[in-house]
Amino acid sequence: QVQLVESGGGSVQPGGSLRLSCQASGRTFRTRSMGWFRQAPGKEREFVAAVWWGSGSTYYRDSVKGRFTISRDKPKNTVFLQMNSLRFEDTGVYYCASDPSIILSSIADARQYDDWGQGTQVTVAS
């Protein structure tokens, strides 16, 4: 099992930036993918971005492409999400997730991730 701890959330005005971090501990040597998901009130959890741990290849939902950047620090078992040009619709609780056996075609499917962090709130408001 992997333990995940997110940090870096907060409140920001539209157009602002935030950087989220997710520190993994435990059986991290088995990690195959780490991703970020978010959930707004009354909505389902949705995929934001993911990184294939071995190659570093990155994947994004369309609405965040060009604004968000996911990156990883392998020695420190940490994944980051740099969020720029934030919009009202980016508001939500952001969760970090990891999985040791996920296949690439399922990288955006929250149901395929075994391990989750507690979440960090991101609020975009004027």
Side-chain angles (χ1 to χ4, degrees):
Q1 191 173 5
V2 174
Q3 293 76 46
L4 303 171
V5 179
E6 304 102 331
S7 61
S11 296
V12 65
Q13 293 185 340
S17 298
L18 285 173
R19 188 183 194 223
L20 306 184
S21 300
C22 175
Q23 172 73 57
S25 60
R27 300 175 68 86
T28 57
F29 63 91
R30 299 175 63 228
T31 298
R32 181 173 288 184
S33 173
M34 289 189 72
W36 288 96
F37 292 78
R38 66 188 180 190
Q39 188 165 19
K43 295 188 176 181
E44 292 188 355
R45 191 168 299 189
E46 64 181 18
F47 171 75
V48 176
V51 57
W52 200 249
W53 202 247
S55 67
S57 296
T58 57
Y59 306 86
Y60 300 92
R61 70 179 296 109
D62 286 346
S63 64
V64 307
K65 287 179 181 177
R67 300 189 297 122
F68 291 12
T69 303
I70 189 170
S71 60
R72 77 197 193 302
D73 183 331
K74 288 185 73 176
K76 295 183 179 180
N77 294 311
T78 302
V79 65
F80 304 97
L81 186 67
Q82 177 66 45
M83 305 186 293
N84 299 327
S85 302
L86 283 161
R87 305 169 179 170
F88 293 120
E89 56 265 37
D90 294 319
T91 293
V93 179
Y94 282 66
Y95 297 91
C96 176
S98 72
D99 195 85
S101 59
I102 195 168
I103 60 175
L104 188 56
S105 60
S106 298
I107 201 168
D109 186 350
R111 298 168 299 178
Q112 304 302 321
Y113 285 81
D114 279 350
D115 301 303
W116 291 85
Q118 81 287 352
T120 186
Q121 177 70 44
V122 171
T123 302
V124 184
S126 56

